[in-house]
Amino acid sequence: MWIDIAQKFSDKWDFTHCIGAVDGKQIVMKASPRSGSTFYNYKVTNSIVLMAIADADYRFIYIDVGCNDRASDVFGKSTFQKALDNNILRLPLPQPLLNRDRDCPYLLVADDAFRMQKLILKPYPGKNLTAGHRIFNYRLSRARRVVENVFGIMAKRFQILYRPIQLNEQKTTQITLACCTLHNFLINNTDAKRISQSELASGVVKSVCIT
């Protein structure tokens, strides 16, 4: 499975050895009366976090939903992080890139919010970058935006995600899980290329707030 995912990222987004794009989305909701500031976030709303890893075909391959922390913190506490740390994901062994001799591991791509670690690749920071670093950041951004596109496609279909959900955190979590499951079902049973061209062209990504 990991090899297939990496090959799709290479074919579609010209980024090799990528096994997924990770990011988080705030799911705004109505907090329960006794929750206080537990779910109060920096955007001055109450929300839970949907932390997700997506493949190159706009499918979720892992989600963690219901936490009230930042997306990067949710990832650090997730079962996926534990599986990475304990080396139980059966990731493919590092291999050289094309026309290279040094082995390169298979990696997740993320934005600056995530902490740097062995199997997460982030863009080079700062503004005074070399041409090579700018090109790298551009290509990484193209691969990473897949997960933002997934959030956008899902919100376009299930427009309850466009507005605050008038339910408590438990029911909001259930609704979010259902939306993610139905999203994958629809992707698997529809032409993914047609979806990406038509729905993304309509400005889906711009209409969604990503953390």
Side-chain angles (χ1 to χ4, degrees):
M1 181 189 76
W2 298 119
I3 293 292
D4 289 343
I5 291 173
Q7 188 60 51
K8 287 288 184 64
F9 270 103
S10 179
D11 294 342
K12 291 189 173 186
W13 304 108
D14 197 24
F15 203 92
T16 58
H17 283 219
C18 178
I19 56 171
V22 57
D23 203 354
K25 173 178 172 58
Q26 298 284 344
I27 306 296
V28 183
M29 65 175 188
K30 177 182 178 181
S32 58
R34 296 182 181 180
S35 64
S37 61
T38 302
F39 297 94
Y40 198 68
N41 62 44
Y42 69 97
K43 295 182 178 179
V44 199
T45 59
N46 290 286
S47 66
I48 56 174
V49 175
L50 165 60
M51 195 283 295
I53 301 173
D55 67 12
D57 288 326
Y58 305 107
R59 286 187 296 250
F60 293 112
I61 57 177
Y62 179 87
I63 57 173
D64 188 306
V65 60
C67 189
N68 60 324
D69 289 331
R70 295 176 302 174
S72 55
D73 296 331
V74 174
F75 184 81
K77 299 173 183 177
S78 70
T79 55
F80 195 93
Q81 178 71 75
K82 294 177 182 177
L84 278 178
D85 294 341
N86 295 319
N87 197 27
I88 60 175
L89 290 175
R90 301 178 64 184
L91 298 180
L93 294 174
Q95 297 178 4
L97 300 175
L98 183 64
N99 299 322
R100 296 291 189 273
D101 296 326
R102 182 180 298 178
D103 285 341
C104 177
Y106 287 83
L107 303 156
L108 296 168
V109 291
D111 63 16
D112 288 327
F114 289 79
R115 65 179 177 87
M116 182 67 77
Q117 56 176 297
K118 185 177 179 181
L119 296 178
I120 288 188
L121 197 60
K122 298 170 50 175
Y124 286 103
K127 297 180 179 180
N128 299 320
L129 301 176
T130 66
H133 287 174
R134 289 197 301 271
I135 292 170
F136 174 84
N137 282 359
Y138 168 73
R139 292 178 63 181
L140 186 145
S141 177
R142 290 182 72 238
R144 187 192 62 78
R145 281 202 303 264
V146 170
V147 67
E148 295 185 7
N149 293 349
V150 173
F151 292 148
I153 293 170
M154 183 173 69
K156 181 73 172 180
R157 285 172 164 161
F158 308 111
Q159 297 195 12
I160 189 173
L161 301 175
Y162 273 152
R163 57 187 183 275
I165 298 175
Q166 299 299 306
L167 296 168
N168 61 27
E169 60 271 19
Q170 290 86 6
K171 291 182 178 179
T172 300
T173 296
Q174 292 174 348
I175 288 173
T176 305
L177 289 170
C179 289
C180 292
T181 302
L182 290 170
H183 168 85
N184 273 14
F185 174 81
L186 292 170
I187 288 288
N188 288 334
N189 289 275
T190 314
D191 184 344
K193 183 177 180 181
R194 179 181 61 80
I195 292 171
S196 64
Q197 290 177 343
S198 63
E199 295 192 330
L200 295 182
S202 66
V204 172
V205 176
K206 295 181 180 179
S207 65
V208 179
C209 187
I210 307 297
T211 60

